[in-house]
Amino acid sequence: MMTKKWMKFKRDFENFKTACIPWEMKIKEIESHFGSSVASYFIFLRWMYGVNLVLLCMILGLVVIPELLMGQPAGTIPRKTVPRGEQATAMNYGVLSEFGGTLKYSLLFYGYYNNQRTIGPLQYRFPLAFFLCGIGVFGYSLIVVIRTMAKNINESTADGDDDNFTFSWKIFTSWDYLIGNPETADNKFASITTSFKESILDEQENIKEENIHLRRFLIVLANVLITICLGGSGYLIYFVVQRSQEFKKLDNPSWYQNNEVEIVMNLLSMFCPPLFETIATMENYHSRLALKWQLGRIFALFLGNLYTFLLALINDVNSKLEEEVLIKNTTMLLISSLNNGSSINGSTSTPFIHPADMPRGPCWETDVGIEFVKLTVSDTQMTYIMILVGDFGRAVIVRFLNYCWCWDLEAGFPSYSEFDISGNVLGLIFNQGMIWMGVFYAPGLIVVNVLRLLSSMYLQCWAVMSSNVPQEKVFKASKSNNFYLALLLLVLFMSLLPVAYTIMTISPSFDCGPFSGKNRMYDVLPETIEKDFPPFITKVFGYVLNPGVIIASVLLMVLAIYYLNAISKAYRNANIEFKKKMQRKRDDEKSKRNNTVSTNELMSDLEELLPPSVRYGIKKETEEKADEIYLKPNTNNETISRPGKLPLPVKNGPKLTITKAPIQSEVVTTLSTKKLKVNAMRPQPGRGRGQTS
């Protein structure tokens, strides 16, 4: 009883752990109705939400909360005060919607934070913490992405080869007999049905025949058209960003002029993926392969658009740096003149200037952070509008107007929409890329992203169950999650490059941010090593940062990667060869068995065609041969007595010998390749003890 209670407790505890996983039941329900490919997106979205929660805790704990608790209060220094000329409109909705006014001089952006080397009674080294936190965001993201990819690979390889007897396994082992909830049973039934559709599609793709020359021509044509679209979108974004710099010089720009870049990028992200999908129908790929090609093309579109946007931003930053030099000189002259005036009057105190009246530099870091926040917010708004209008509104029209329309709205135009896997996945990945790039210039951006992911999970789960229909070609996700993670890893690397460029190359603003007053942002590291560590540590870091040591380390890592990659390929090839040998052996055994069965069936069919007298003669001859075989003395000069006329085929098999039973009342059976001995002593009715039966 205690064993049964313990087993029941473990089963209930496992169910409890599953119930504690966020949105697990919602994702299972979606998977049962729409397949594993759609569910893989929501699993990926949940994973991204968990990663961003960790990044949020890191930024709040190391940057935002120390500044709030130990930094100077808002309004005491210029970087934390709204300028006098902007105070009248600082709280207007139009200004706040552009993240200007009060929001621009808040904790959301880089320019708010102070550049004091240590703050508070704990002597917290804030610029160093800000720098290391920015690097730690990329480091943690890199580690968790690679670790998750390795875990997925181990799980996929541990399952073994499941391509044999696919339908037999699904028929006889799919149902879970522990299900007691009717709703769960319905979901399980839908899941099994969907899995059969996935397997049927895979089988159809394996036996499909087509014209290879026409197929190649259509593939080349599709890639040419998509390349033209990619080049056109990149040129359009570059042109719009260049024109936006002219709009900023206007005294009263319109709403469209302020948001033209975001509008154009969102429109391209909205209309280019469906255009790519339409062009991709010419290629006639398998659905899983078509999804990967679609993801790759949309990835190239987003990456090209993002880097075009960044190049235009760098041009804007360079122009602001020139403007900053003039403002810096003006500010220094003002301060020196005030100091000289006070010394002439004989006063030792510096004249007070209100922080709101102090001349300000452009603070290009805050402007870059504002652009990333505006892109994130506008992308979120556009996504939600498309869900409510494009999916839900379309479903409402089809549902309620189908009865009074001229044609069948469900079967024809517009019909219910399918869930766009590629567009949603790439949107999620590139939104995360903007977070990685923008969080260094806008620490509050991570809060916006966490709220976005949380609301997206609920809204998209509701939309996919209420407004979408399963795809016509349902396919298994296979290793789609790892493909998503590979794209995310590439975006992480591409996001690191602009941040590293600004840290190592561009001078920080002189009057805003934690690195103001330094030539480069990374100067905070040598400064900390020089002032806070013993002198020999400085020498060690000098030796480590020597170009010769760095080049040698890079070469060593490259050689190690090449060696490990070669070993991995060798293991993979050996595994493939082993699987082929097992398959060949299995096929040989199957062919031998089939040949034996077919030969026996053929001989029996031929015997049925003979006259009865001939059949009787063949049967009698077979029995006589069998008698000769069984009456032939064996190696021990003993004969096998056999009751009846049933032929026992022991000519090439083991010999059967019956000996006198031992004293013990038991049966011992020993089988060898040449002889089968049976030692038995079992009293029969009417016989004495010890006689053989």
Side-chain angles (χ1 to χ4, degrees), residues 660-669 679-684 688-691 693:
K660 188 176 180 179
I663 299 175
Q664 290 84 0
S665 177
E666 61 181 0
V667 179
V668 180
T669 306
N679 299 328
M681 194 279 291
R682 186 174 57 187
Q684 297 293 328
R689 186 176 180 85
Q691 295 179 356
S693 59

Side-chain angles (χ1 to χ4, degrees), residues 306-317:
L306 186 61
Y307 262 75
T308 305
F309 172 72
L310 289 175
L311 290 175
L313 275 184
I314 289 175
N315 293 335
D316 185 27
V317 168

Side-chain angles (χ1 to χ4, degrees), residues 154-169:
N154 290 334
E155 290 179 355
S156 62
T157 54
D159 293 338
D161 187 9
D162 58 350
D163 295 334
N164 295 314
F165 314 110
T166 304
F167 294 98
S168 299
W169 284 114

Side-chain angles (χ1 to χ4, degrees), residues 258-272:
N258 284 328
N259 297 276
E260 186 181 29
V261 177
E262 290 79 15
I263 292 173
V264 170
M265 291 187 69
N266 285 320
L267 289 177
L268 288 173
S269 302
M270 184 190 308
F271 290 107
C272 283

Side-chain angles (χ1 to χ4, degrees), residues 165-221:
F165 314 110
T166 304
F167 294 98
S168 299
W169 284 114
K170 290 184 182 298
I171 289 174
F172 295 109
T173 64
S174 294
W175 187 254
D176 186 1
Y177 289 93
L178 296 178
I179 294 176
N181 188 359
E183 184 179 357
T184 307
D186 293 338
N187 291 339
K188 185 65 176 178
F189 177 80
S191 176
I192 295 172
T193 306
T194 305
S195 66
F196 268 101
K197 292 179 181 179
E198 296 171 349
S199 300
I200 290 171
L201 178 63
D202 290 338
E203 291 294 329
Q204 289 176 348
E205 290 293 330
N206 291 333
I207 61 176
K208 183 172 64 176
E209 297 181 359
E210 54 193 351
N211 188 344
I212 188 62
H213 300 291
L214 178 61
R215 173 84 179 277
R216 289 174 179 172
F217 172 75
L218 293 176
I219 289 174
V220 172
L221 179 61

Side-chain angles (χ1 to χ4, degrees), residues 499-511:
V499 178
Y501 174 77
T502 57
I503 289 175
M504 304 297 294
T505 305
I506 302 179
S507 300
S509 300
F510 76 96
D511 63 342

Side-chain angles (χ1 to χ4, degrees), residues 81-96:
T81 307
V82 180
R84 187 77 64 185
E86 300 178 12
Q87 288 182 355
T89 60
M91 293 300 293
N92 291 351
Y93 175 76
V95 177
L96 294 177

Side-chain angles (χ1 to χ4, degrees), residues 494-555:
M494 302 303 291
S495 303
L496 178 60
L497 293 180
V499 178
Y501 174 77
T502 57
I503 289 175
M504 304 297 294
T505 305
I506 302 179
S507 300
S509 300
F510 76 96
D511 63 342
C512 70
F515 307 110
S516 55
K518 296 181 174 58
N519 293 328
R520 298 290 184 270
M521 293 182 182
Y522 70 89
D523 288 343
V524 67
L525 288 178
E527 179 185 10
T528 303
I529 294 172
E530 181 181 355
K531 294 183 178 180
D532 296 338
F533 289 91
F536 76 91
I537 298 293
T538 305
K539 293 182 180 180
V540 171
F541 274 96
Y543 293 142
V544 170
L545 298 178
N546 190 299
V549 177
I550 294 176
I551 293 174
S553 302
V554 171
L555 289 176

